[in-house]
Amino acid sequence: MVTRCPAWGHPEPSLNSQWLSLLLPCLLLPGPPPALGMEDASFPHLGEGSQPPPRACPPRCSCPRADTVDCAGLDLRVFPDNITRAAQHLSLQNNQLQELPYNELSRLSGLRTLNLHNNLISSEGLPDEAFESLTQLQHIYVAHNKLSVAPQFLPRSLRVADLAANEVTEIFPLTFGEKPALRSVYLHNNQLSNAGLPPDAFHGSQAVVTLSLSSNRLSYVPPSLPSSLERLHLQNNLICKVPRGALSRQTHLRELYLQHNQLTDSGLDATTFSKLHCLEYLDLSHNQLAAVPAGLPHTLAVLHLGRNRIRRVEAARLRGLRGLRYLLLQHNQLGAAGLPAGALRPLRGLHTLHLYGNGLDRVPQALPRRLRALVLPHNRVTALGAHDLAATPGLAELNLAYNRLASACVHRRAFHRLRALRSLDLAGNQLTLLPSGLPASLHTLRLQRNQLRALEPEPLAGLDQLQELCLAHNRLRVGDIGPGTWHELRALQVLDLSHNELSFVPPDLPEALEELHLQGNRISHVGPEAFLSTPRLRALFLRANRLHTTSIAPEAFLGLPHLRLVDTTGNPEPVLVQLPPTAPRRPRAEGP
């Protein structure tokens, strides 16, 4: 029997019973929806009060939105076969996928993001036409897979492509070419040589601002790079030269990374960097340069030349770099004559100068007046004269650690002009006395690993802003610490007296002290009044001394409500630590 549905419309009043008997079966059959406003008001609208149908989602995956499918980290070995065609964002990273089936991908023409990071996909498992139908794809992530060559074709709509950490030896003209919206390309940690990078690799892709080719096998800077580049990563290659004109079109480049290559002076010329009118950061460290390159852009703010073979810095090579803020020359071969007086004078805006590990026998002369940080550790500086630092009154950080400074060769007015100095590092020298004339502005003073045998109050007088003082690994005994030594250190919070020859806790320590390091001494007893002067103490280190179980007096920690840590490990016996019941938390008390 065939049931015929009446035309949609208003029923005759005299036919109500017949209308209902015919209409009810029709509700169960597919048919055109009722025209708006034509339904009988006595019947509910179709679907009224019902829940939307459940959203299709592959097993074990999550689909937080109608356009998002997340199948990450499920140890999948097969591409899911029931992904909704409406998907725009598909995440399959951290699985065990070895191939991408074309039939499944071709269904997902609306994809905008495809994340395949950290799988086992090989080039054999990636069909040439795999991405042809993904005409709206903007972000593709295939890093940490097993690709030996790049996909021959990626969609024109692409904005970000990440193929890093594969085994790629070759890319093709349409891998990244003809992509007018492409902004970022990541190819680092592959096996690319110059032969695998075609001259037209980025033809028609003039919006690329970030290109990473680091950690490959390039022997020279590739020509025909996008002129739109702002960041170019070429570090950790085998680059021994920059061909003439290779960087002549990249006038928007701001950051250039060439460290850890094989560049020599002959691999650069005066025009190599001259067209980079926006360059701010240039890293040439870990190469084989014997001189500062010529033709550096005047826009540079950071120049990293550390770990080369530079023997001499010529002022002419730095002329025009008035905006340079950071110059790093550590671990070169400057020696005694490598930095002539005034060589750095053109750098009027220089903020930080790194010169450690160069064999310098004195502080460079005529340094830029606005210098704020001078880093000179691991050199051969033997003396500080009265005027050696006079040209840099704005210094806030001075590091002369691990040189050959002796107390007799540090002039009493050596630091006189440094009224803004906040950090002074003199560790690892041959000082037997604290230097005189230390600036009152100091916040940090490091004197560890010297040969200090005595502390007197005069050198520390006036240091009422000092917050950290390190005197570790010297030869100090309590009897060699003069009365009143700590008196003016009103702001001192951290005091390190570890690895000296102290037999008990020094008396009259600063009231503001919060952290006290006494490990590695000869302390065998801690009396009841040891910490009366330090009510703010939070951490106490007494490990590796000569303490026994009852060496610490029960009253020693009375009045220390902030104490959180007492470290007594490495002593001959487990040490009994008793805190007053008002202490907020019981500190750690450990035995050997």
Side-chain angles (χ1 to χ4, degrees):
M1 174 180 171
V2 177
T3 304
R4 298 185 182 276
C5 296
W8 293 97
H10 292 286
E12 294 290 334
S14 60
L15 300 176
N16 274 345
S17 60
Q18 189 178 10
W19 169 262
L20 288 173
S21 65
L22 291 172
L23 179 62
L24 288 174
C26 290
L27 291 175
L28 303 176
L29 297 175
L36 191 63
M38 299 295 289
E39 303 93 341
D40 191 317
S42 61
F43 286 90
H45 291 199
L46 292 178
E48 184 174 86
S50 63
Q51 295 295 323
R55 187 182 302 145
C57 193
R60 300 171 59 205
C61 302
S62 63
C63 301
R65 297 195 305 267
D67 63 352
T68 301
V69 179
D70 185 356
C71 299
L74 298 178
D75 203 29
L76 298 178
R77 298 178 182 274
V78 178
F79 193 92
D81 61 0
N82 55 345
I83 297 172
T84 174
R85 292 175 183 270
Q88 294 185 18
H89 308 284
L90 174 57
S91 180
L92 286 162
Q93 76 264 32
N94 301 323
N95 281 292
Q96 302 291 321
L97 300 178
Q98 298 185 32
E99 60 182 6
L100 297 182
Y102 171 73
N103 291 341
E104 291 299 325
L105 272 183
S106 62
R107 293 175 50 253
L108 308 177
S109 58
L111 273 186
R112 294 177 179 270
T113 302
L114 176 57
N115 192 339
L116 296 162
H117 178 93
N118 196 26
N119 276 277
L120 302 171
I121 301 169
S122 65
S123 294
E124 292 75 17
L126 193 64
D128 291 343
E129 68 278 12
F131 305 107
E132 276 185 356
S133 61
L134 306 186
T135 56
Q136 299 184 54
L137 192 66
Q138 295 183 359
H139 302 85
I140 184 167
Y141 304 97
V142 201
H144 290 273
N145 276 277
K146 302 292 183 182
L147 300 180
S148 56
V149 294
Q152 290 202 23
F153 170 84
L154 289 174
R156 181 179 175 85
S157 55
L158 209 60
R159 294 176 61 85
V160 176
D162 186 356
L163 276 71
N166 278 276
E167 300 165 6
V168 174
T169 60
E170 185 178 9
I171 68 173
F172 301 94
L174 289 181
T175 304
F176 304 115
E178 305 301 333
K179 311 283 187 293
L182 188 61
R183 300 273 296 173
S184 303
V185 176
Y186 302 98
L187 282 164
H188 49 278
N189 292 93
N190 277 288
Q191 302 292 323
L192 274 171
S193 66
N194 289 90
L197 201 61
D200 54 352
F202 296 96
H203 182 266
S205 301
Q206 293 305 315
V208 180
V209 295
T210 300
L211 174 58
S212 179
L213 288 164
S214 59
S215 299
N216 278 280
R217 297 181 178 276
L218 302 175
S219 56
Y220 56 88
V221 173
S224 304
L225 295 174
S227 59
S228 53
L229 280 178
E230 295 181 10
R231 286 171 293 279
L232 176 56
H233 292 263
L234 291 166
Q235 64 267 35
N236 292 298
N237 276 279
L238 306 171
I239 296 173
C240 58
K241 67 178 297 186
V242 181
R244 194 176 184 88
L247 296 173
S248 61
R249 300 186 308 117
Q250 285 68 36
T251 54
H252 300 287
L253 196 64
R254 297 175 59 191
E255 301 171 21
L256 177 55
Y257 300 87
L258 282 163
Q259 67 268 31
H260 288 279
N261 277 287
Q262 299 176 13
L263 285 167
T264 61
D265 294 346
S266 61
L268 308 174
D269 61 38
T271 67
T272 298
F273 308 110
S274 61
K275 301 294 185 182
L276 304 180
H277 302 311
C278 293
L279 194 65
E280 298 175 357
Y281 187 103
L282 176 58
D283 194 338
L284 290 164
S285 62
H286 295 267
N287 278 281
Q288 300 171 25
L289 302 175
V292 176
L296 294 172
H298 71 275
T299 52
L300 273 181
V302 179
L303 177 58
H304 198 332
L305 293 167
R307 291 192 180 274
N308 277 278
R309 301 175 181 177
I310 298 174
R311 295 181 177 274
R312 188 174 177 85
V313 176
E314 301 290 348
R317 297 287 176 96
L318 301 175
R319 194 162 292 130
L321 301 184
R322 295 185 178 182
L324 192 68
R325 298 274 291 163
Y326 298 88
L327 177 58
L328 294 87
L329 284 162
Q330 68 270 24
H331 294 291
N332 277 281
Q333 301 172 15
L334 294 176
L339 205 57
L344 302 179
R345 189 172 291 160
L347 307 179
R348 296 182 180 179
L350 195 65
H351 177 283
T352 299
L353 176 60
H354 283 251
L355 287 167
Y356 51 82
N358 267 289
L360 300 174
D361 62 0
R362 63 175 301 176
V363 175
Q365 301 299 290
L367 292 173
R369 185 173 180 82
R370 297 179 183 175
L371 194 67
R372 296 281 292 168
L374 178 57
V375 186
L376 280 166
H378 295 281
N379 279 283
R380 301 172 185 170
V381 179
T382 58
L384 275 181
H387 305 291
D388 286 352
L389 300 166
T392 54
L395 271 185
E397 177 187 350
L398 176 58
N399 190 330
L400 285 163
Y402 298 97
N403 276 276
R404 300 177 180 179
L405 290 169
S407 292
C409 299
V410 178
H411 197 278
R412 59 184 179 83
R413 295 179 65 83
F415 308 104
H416 176 67
R417 297 287 302 276
L418 306 183
R419 297 175 183 174
L421 194 66
R422 294 171 63 91
S423 176
L424 175 59
D425 195 338
L426 294 169
N429 279 280
Q430 301 168 19
L431 302 175
T432 55
L433 299 171
L434 292 179
S436 300
L438 294 173
S441 56
L442 276 180
H443 284 205
T444 302
L445 177 58
R446 296 185 175 92
L447 289 159
Q448 67 267 30
R449 295 188 183 277
N450 276 277
Q451 300 173 20
L452 298 177
R453 294 178 177 273
L455 295 180
E456 296 296 335
E458 287 78 13
L460 298 175
L463 301 186
D464 55 3
Q465 297 183 49
L466 193 65
Q467 297 176 11
E468 181 178 347
L469 174 59
C470 185
L471 296 163
H473 291 278
N474 279 283
R475 301 181 180 181
L476 294 170
R477 300 182 180 184
V478 175
D480 299 324
I481 301 175
T485 294
W486 320 110
H487 180 67
E488 295 194 34
L489 304 183
R490 300 183 184 92
L492 193 66
Q493 297 177 4
V494 180
L495 175 60
D496 191 345
L497 286 164
S498 63
H499 301 283
N500 277 279
E501 300 175 9
L502 305 177
S503 54
F504 56 90
V505 179
D508 300 319
L509 293 171
E511 182 177 349
L513 202 62
E514 296 183 3
E515 188 174 313
L516 177 59
H517 292 261
L518 293 170
Q519 62 268 31
N521 277 282
R522 303 174 181 178
I523 298 173
S524 59
H525 178 70
V526 177
E529 299 180 354
F531 304 108
L532 287 181
S533 64
T534 56
R536 302 178 189 177
L537 197 63
R538 293 177 176 271
L540 173 62
F541 299 88
L542 285 165
R543 68 166 59 201
N545 274 279
R546 300 179 180 180
L547 296 172
H548 293 270
T549 303
T550 58
S551 294
I552 298 180
E555 306 88 355
F557 302 130
L558 287 174
L560 300 180
H562 305 290
L563 192 61
R564 296 291 186 273
L565 172 66
V566 177
D567 185 356
T568 59
T569 58
N571 278 280
E573 295 178 3
V575 181
L576 181 62
V577 175
Q578 298 183 16
L579 294 181
T582 55
R585 290 174 56 191
R586 184 176 180 84
R588 186 181 72 197
E590 300 180 4

